[in-house]
């Protein structure tokens, strides 16, 4: 089946630095990628939708300048957390839609970000 | 807009017990319905799905039936194992640009 690979799985960074998270579709082309944030023991919150060749669409309340999303190619989308602060610590998950409308999505393994 | 409501946990059961996790939804049109499972520190894995009314999704002993009349997609398993301990998410998609709509997740704990 389709595979989405997300790296790194864990990252610890200092406050004020930036962290890049990569999400790759390994055996298919993903023109769209969803980025989620998950707080402990809570559901997934959609942050933004990246689209290859155009600007990302951000959900209300998500800071575009803090969470930079780039969909560089049909197989790669990146999320950069800029000037990270401890409150940005969270579990971030990317997801690519299925082959057709109304089908399941494919998820990356997730990235545990800890800002110290 | 679309929404998914599922029972909140944690749900604690003994091994070999019968499991039901309730899920109801509101959506326009005819969504596809899914159950995803998340093991600690990992992303989400598709457990099962149903794309139209009265369809039954099944996998690894888990089952869920798409009930349009009650707008429900309850997850069941006849005999749970310790390895089933995880967080389970009910989700739907209408095929639109917003992707999946998730429930809040149900933490399942199976004790030996």
């Amino acid at each position: 089946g389709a595979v989405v690979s997300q790296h790194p799985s864990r990252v610890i960074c200092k406050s004020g630095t930036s962290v890049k998270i990569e999400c790759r579709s390994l055996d298919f082309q993903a023109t769209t990628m969803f980025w989620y944030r998950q707080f402990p023991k809570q559901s997934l919150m959609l942050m933004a939708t990246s689209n290859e060749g155009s600007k990302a669409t951000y959900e209300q309340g998500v800071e575009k300048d803090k969470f930079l999303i780039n969909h560089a190619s049909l197989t790669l989308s990146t999320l950069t957390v800029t000037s990270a602060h401890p409150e940005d610590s969270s579990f971030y998950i990317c997801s690519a839609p299925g082959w057709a409308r109304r089908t399941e999505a494919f998820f990356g393994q997730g990235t545990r970000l800890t800002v110290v | 807009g679309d929404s998914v409501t599922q029972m909140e946990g944690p749900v604690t059961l003994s091994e070999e017990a019968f499991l039901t996790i309730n899920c109801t939804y509101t959506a326009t049109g005819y969504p596809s319905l899914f159950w995803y499972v998340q093991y600690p520190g990992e992303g989400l894995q598709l457990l099962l799905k149903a794309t139209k009314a009265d369809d039954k999704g099944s996998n690894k002993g888990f089952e869920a039936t798409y009930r349009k009349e009650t707008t429900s997609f309850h997850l069941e398993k006849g005999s749970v194992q310790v390895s089933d301990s995880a967080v389970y998410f009910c989700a739907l998609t209408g095929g639109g640009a917003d992707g999946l709509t998730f429930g809040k997740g149900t933490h399942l704990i199976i004790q030996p």
Side-chain angles (χ1 to χ4, degrees):
Chain A
V3 176
V4 174
S5 179
Q6 183 174 346
H7 293 280
S9 58
R10 290 179 179 272
V11 58
I12 300 173
C13 70
K14 293 184 178 180
S15 289
T17 62
S18 295
V19 173
K20 179 184 285 189
I21 302 170
E22 292 188 346
C23 189
R24 296 180 183 273
S25 55
L26 295 186
D27 54 359
F28 67 104
Q29 294 180 334
T31 57
T32 299
M33 199 74 80
F34 300 108
W35 286 94
Y36 296 89
R37 181 173 180 175
Q38 186 179 29
F39 292 98
K41 300 184 179 181
Q42 295 190 27
S43 189
L44 282 71
M45 180 192 77
L46 180 64
M47 298 175 62
T49 303
S50 72
N51 301 290
E52 191 271 337
S54 63
K55 291 184 178 180
T57 303
Y58 289 82
E59 297 300 303
Q60 191 173 5
V62 177
E63 299 178 60
K64 300 178 182 181
D65 294 333
K66 165 164 278 297
F67 299 101
L68 299 180
I69 290 175
N70 183 19
H71 202 126
S73 71
L74 289 172
T75 59
L76 175 64
S77 176
T78 61
L79 166 66
T80 302
V81 183
T82 63
S83 186
H85 289 93
E87 57 265 31
D88 298 325
S89 299
S90 192
F91 195 60
Y92 294 88
I93 305 176
C94 64
S95 168
W99 309 113
R101 295 166 71 88
R102 295 168 52 81
T103 58
E104 69 270 25
F106 303 99
F107 287 84
Q109 302 93 322
T111 298
R112 170 70 62 193
L113 170 63
T114 303
V115 184
V116 297
Chain B
D2 297 347
S3 68
V4 176
T5 302
Q6 62 182 104
M7 59 191 295
E8 297 189 26
V11 173
T12 304
L13 296 172
S14 298
E15 205 167 19
E16 299 184 1
F18 184 86
L19 168 71
T20 300
I21 301 178
N22 290 335
C23 172
T24 57
Y25 67 90
T26 57
T28 55
Y30 301 92
S32 294
L33 303 175
F34 310 92
W35 277 100
Y36 282 86
V37 58
Q38 183 180 32
Y39 298 101
E42 298 184 12
L44 274 66
Q45 302 174 29
L46 178 67
L47 180 60
L48 53 84
K49 67 179 181 180
T51 58
K52 62 182 187 298
D54 299 325
D55 269 3
K56 176 186 284 187
S58 61
N59 185 27
K60 300 180 180 180
F62 290 91
E63 292 183 340
T65 301
Y66 190 144
R67 301 287 189 198
K68 193 173 190 311
E69 63 276 14
T70 55
T71 61
S72 65
F73 194 55
H74 304 322
L75 182 67
E76 297 182 336
K77 186 173 185 181
S79 177
V80 292
Q81 306 300 315
V82 172
S83 57
D84 293 328
S85 299
V87 180
Y88 292 81
F89 290 94
C90 186
L92 66 82
T93 181
D98 294 336
L100 292 167
T101 299
F102 287 94
K104 292 187 175 182
T106 302
H107 186 194
L108 176 64
I109 301 170
I110 307 301
Q111 297 177 333

